[in-house]
C-alpha cells in the first residue's frame, strides 16, 4: 500500500479478506460460519468507511467490526459469547500480521497437558480431520470406544483450557 | 450434553453449528473444541468465497458507493455525508454496541473547523420525537431510517446533530448524565452540540454535522434524506 491509504474499497477488501476470514475461523471453527461472518463484516464495514483514513485505522476499524459481528453471532445463536476477539488484537501491528491467528499454538498447548491417549484422539479428530473410524483404527479400539474416548478427552481438555485462561 | 455433542459433530464435519441451550460447562467445552479445530491446518478462505463476496460487495456498493466525509469543509453536500451516516445506522449501528472504556485523558487540541450545517440538496422532514418528550435541556437519540442522530432543546431553541462518528462511521452512544456522545470504536467523544471533546486518534477529528430541525404540530422533525424507493 503506497502512502498508507487505500485507493478504493476493493483494495481494502483484497488486503483484509484473508485476515478477517482467518480471525473468524479461529473463533467459530467452521468454514461456512466463518464465511458468513466475514461477509457480514465487509458488508457492514465497507459502506460507511472513509477511505481518507490510514491503512492502520481501516484495519483497526475492521477488527472492531469483526469483534462486534462475532459477539452478535454468539448472542444470536447460543446466547453466550463462546469466544471473543481479544482487545489487543486490534493493536497487532499491521505489517507484522499476515493473517496468522495463533490458533495452532494454542491447540498444541492444550494438547500438551493431556494424557497420551486423550491427546492422540483429539489430535486425530480435530487437527488431522480423521473420521471416527480412522481414529479408532489408528488407536486400535472400536468405534464406540473411540467415541467415548473423544468425549472424555474433550471434557478434560476443557478443564485444561480453562486453567490456562485463568 | 446432547447439544454439545451435536455441536462438536458439526464442527468436525465442517458444518455450520446449530443453536441450543448452553450452560457454563458446555461453554468451556465448546470453546475448547473450537480452539482445537481452528488449530488444524488453516487453509484460509477459498478462492470461490473470496470472489463471490467481492461480487456481492460490488453490487451492493455500486448502488451506493462508499463516500468520503469531507473534513473542515463548511459547505457539505448533504447527500454525501448522509449516505455514510445512513449506512452506519442500518448495519454498523446495530453491531457496534460494546461497552465504553472512556479511560485515558488524552485531549487533543485542534483547530475548530468551521461550523457545519448540512445543506440539503434534497430530503424530507421526518418526525422523530414528540415535542413534549423533549423538554428544555434534554437530549434524545433518534433513528429516522436514513439517518440517525440526536435532537436537543435548550432555552435558545432546537438543535440536531448526526449520530455517526466522523472518524470511521461508528454509531455514537449518548451518555446523558455527562452530556456527551461516545464512540465505542476508538473512544472518541463529542459534546451534544457536536463539537469534539476528546479522542486519541492520530488524525484530526471533524465535529458532527448539524441537521436542520423544527417543531411542528407537537412533533420535532429533522430534515433527512428521503427513503430510497
Ligand atoms: S469510529 Fe469513532 S473514534 Fe473511530
Amino acid at each position: 500500500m503506497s502512502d498508507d491509504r487505500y485507493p478504493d474499497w476493493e483494495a481494502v477488501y483484497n488486503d483484509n479478506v484473508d485476515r478477517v476470514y482467518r480471525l473468524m475461523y479461529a473463533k467459530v471453527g467452521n468454514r461456512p460460519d466463518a464465511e458468513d461472518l466475514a461477509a457480514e463484516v465487509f458488508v457492514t464495514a465497507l459502506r460507511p468507511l472513509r477511505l481518507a483514513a490510514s491503512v492502520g485505522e481501516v484495519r483497526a476499524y475492521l477488527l472492531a467490526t469483526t469483534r462486534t459481528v462475532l459477539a452478535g453471532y454468539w448472542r444470536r445463536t447460543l446466547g453466550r459469547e463462546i469466544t471473543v476477539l481479544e482487545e489487543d488484537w486490534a493493536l497487532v501491528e499491521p505489517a507484522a500480521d499476515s493473517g496468522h491467528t495463533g490458533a495452532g499454538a494454542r491447540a498444541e498447548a492444550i494438547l500438551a497437558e493431556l494424557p497420551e491417549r486423550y491427546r492422540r484422539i483429539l489430535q486425530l479428530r480435530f487437527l488431522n480431520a480423521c473420521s471416527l473410524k480412522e481414529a479408532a483404527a489408528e488407536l486400535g479400539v472400536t468405534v464406540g470406544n473411540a467415541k467415548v474416548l473423544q468425549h472424555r478427552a474433550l471434557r478434560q481438555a476443557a478443564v485444561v483450557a480453562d486453567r490456562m485462561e485463568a | 450434553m446432547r447439544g454439545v455433542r451435536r455441536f462438536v459433530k458439526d464442527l468436525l464435519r465442517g458444518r455450520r453449528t446449530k443453536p441450543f441451550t448452553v450452560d457454563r460447562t458446555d461453554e468451556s467445552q465448546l470453546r475448547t473444541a473450537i480452539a482445537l479445530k481452528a488449530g488444524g491446518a488453516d487453509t484460509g478462505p477459498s478462492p470461490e468465497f473470496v470472489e463471490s463476496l467481492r461480487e456481492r460487495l460490488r453490487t451492493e456498493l455500486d448502488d451506493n458507493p462508499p463516500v468520503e466525509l469531507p473534513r473542515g469543509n463548511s459547505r457539505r453536500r448533504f447527500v454525501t455525508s448522509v449516505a455514510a451516516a445512513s449506512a452506519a445506522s442500518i448495519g454498523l449501528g446495530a453491531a457496534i454496541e460494546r461497552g465504553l472504556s472512556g479511560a485515558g485523558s488524552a485531549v487533543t487540541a485542534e483547530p475548530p473547523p468551521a461550523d457545519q450545517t448540512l445543506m440539503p440538496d434534497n430530503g424530507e422532514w421526518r418526525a422523530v420525537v414528540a415535542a413534549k418528550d423533549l423538554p428544555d435541556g434534554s437530549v434524545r437519540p433518534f433513528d429516522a431510517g436514513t439517518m440517525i442522530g440526536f435532537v436537543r432543546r435548550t432555552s435558545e431553541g432546537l438543535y440536531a446533530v448526526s449520530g455517526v462518528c466522523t472518524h470511521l462511521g461508528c454509531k455514537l452512544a449518548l451518555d446523558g448524565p455527562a452530556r456527551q456522545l461516545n464512540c465505542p470504536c476508538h473512544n472518541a467523544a463529542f459534546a451534544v452540540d457536536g463539537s469534539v471533546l476528546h479522542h486519541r486518534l492520530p488524525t484530526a477529528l471533524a465535529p458532527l454535522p448539524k441537521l436542520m430541525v423544527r417543531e411542528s404540530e407537537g412533533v420535532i422533525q429533522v430534515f433527512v434524506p428521503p427513503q430510497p424507493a
Side-chain angles (χ1 to χ4, degrees):
Chain A
M1 232 30 72
S2 59
D3 80 349
D4 207 31
R5 295 268 186 285
Y6 289 111
D8 52 28
W9 71 262
E10 208 158 336
V12 176
Y13 177 72
N14 292 339
D15 190 39
N16 291 286
V17 61
D18 193 75
R19 193 151 158 271
V20 168
Y21 169 86
R22 284 173 195 265
L23 287 176
M24 281 303 188
Y25 185 80
K27 297 296 168 182
V28 297
N30 77 79
R31 201 165 261 280
D33 280 332
E35 291 184 351
D36 286 356
L37 295 173
E40 191 180 334
V41 168
F42 283 102
V43 170
T44 305
L46 283 184
R47 222 180 259 270
L49 191 62
R50 214 192 58 220
L51 292 166
S54 71
V55 166
E57 287 173 315
V58 169
R59 289 189 178 171
Y61 167 67
L62 283 174
L63 272 169
T65 309
T66 304
R67 192 178 296 126
T68 51
V69 165
L70 178 68
Y73 165 75
W74 287 128
R75 239 177 290 131
R76 233 165 34 233
T77 56
L78 296 182
R80 283 166 177 268
E81 291 191 28
I82 304 297
T83 55
V84 294
L85 201 53
E86 295 80 4
E87 240 1 92
D88 47 337
W89 287 42
L91 302 176
V92 171
E93 267 300 301
D97 178 18
S98 53
H100 174 73
T101 58
R106 194 170 139 64
E108 287 304 327
I110 295 171
L111 291 181
E113 299 209 18
L114 295 177
E116 176 58 23
R117 279 185 90 66
Y118 282 1
R119 174 167 52 238
R120 261 324 266 155
I121 183 89
L122 294 183
Q123 224 159 25
L124 291 167
R125 294 285 280 141
F126 285 83
L127 300 182
N128 305 351
C130 288
S131 69
L132 211 45
K133 214 164 135 198
E134 289 162 348
E138 182 78 28
L139 291 167
V141 297
T142 65
V143 168
N145 280 345
K147 208 167 177 177
V148 173
L149 194 60
Q150 177 190 314
H151 290 308
R152 290 198 184 140
L154 181 60
R155 224 174 310 151
Q156 185 63 35
V159 174
V160 169
D162 278 356
R163 200 177 57 228
M164 280 172 29
E165 249 149 55
Chain B
M1 199 60 236
R2 287 244 311 279
V4 174
R5 291 192 179 189
R6 197 185 57 189
F7 185 97
V8 170
K9 200 166 171 183
D10 285 340
L11 201 66
L12 288 174
R13 296 204 172 159
R15 292 193 298 226
R16 268 187 191 84
T17 52
K18 290 171 208 64
F20 68 100
T21 313
V22 179
D23 66 30
R24 270 195 69 81
T25 48
D26 292 347
E27 193 182 322
S28 74
Q29 282 194 55
L30 301 187
R31 202 187 348 264
T32 307
I34 291 169
L36 292 173
K37 188 72 178 66
D42 186 3
T43 49
S46 71
E48 300 77 52
F49 164 72
V50 171
E51 194 38 52
S52 74
L53 179 55
R54 182 182 290 117
E55 270 318 301
R56 175 174 164 201
L57 291 168
R58 195 170 282 150
T59 333
E60 296 195 12
L61 294 172
D62 281 352
D63 297 344
N64 187 359
V67 289
E68 308 236 337
L69 285 173
R71 316 178 187 198
N73 190 351
S74 64
R75 167 134 188 137
R76 294 177 169 216
R77 302 242 332 154
F78 191 53
V79 281
T80 310
S81 301
V82 162
S86 63
S89 77
I90 301 160
L92 196 61
I96 308 262
E97 51 186 29
R98 300 170 41 244
L100 304 165
S101 69
S105 56
V107 175
T108 316
E110 50 192 43
D115 199 32
Q116 303 146 342
T117 299
L118 295 178
M119 302 301 289
D121 290 340
N122 72 331
E124 61 196 33
W125 289 102
R126 185 86 48 77
V128 291
V129 54
K132 66 171 170 31
D133 293 333
L134 192 71
D136 234 23
S138 62
V139 190
R140 302 269 316 225
F142 70 81
D143 184 344
T146 53
M147 183 101 202
I148 55 170
F150 299 89
V151 282
R152 175 170 65 102
R153 193 201 292 275
T154 72
S155 53
E156 268 94 63
L158 289 165
Y159 303 88
V161 292
S162 152
V164 174
C165 183
T166 52
H167 177 220
L168 292 174
C170 291
K171 183 185 177 187
L172 299 172
L174 172 64
D175 178 348
R179 292 187 71 73
Q180 71 182 50
L181 308 171
N182 295 321
C183 179
C185 291
H186 314 100
N187 296 325
F190 299 85
V192 291
D193 67 2
S195 58
V196 176
L197 286 178
H198 61 81
H199 69 81
R200 277 183 277 174
L201 301 166
T203 50
L205 189 64
L208 300 173
K210 298 186 168 86
L211 311 176
M212 299 205 298
V213 54
R214 71 181 187 190
E215 181 171 342
S216 165
E217 292 170 354
V219 290
I220 309 295
Q221 301 175 329
V222 288
F223 199 73
V224 299
Q227 211 73 260

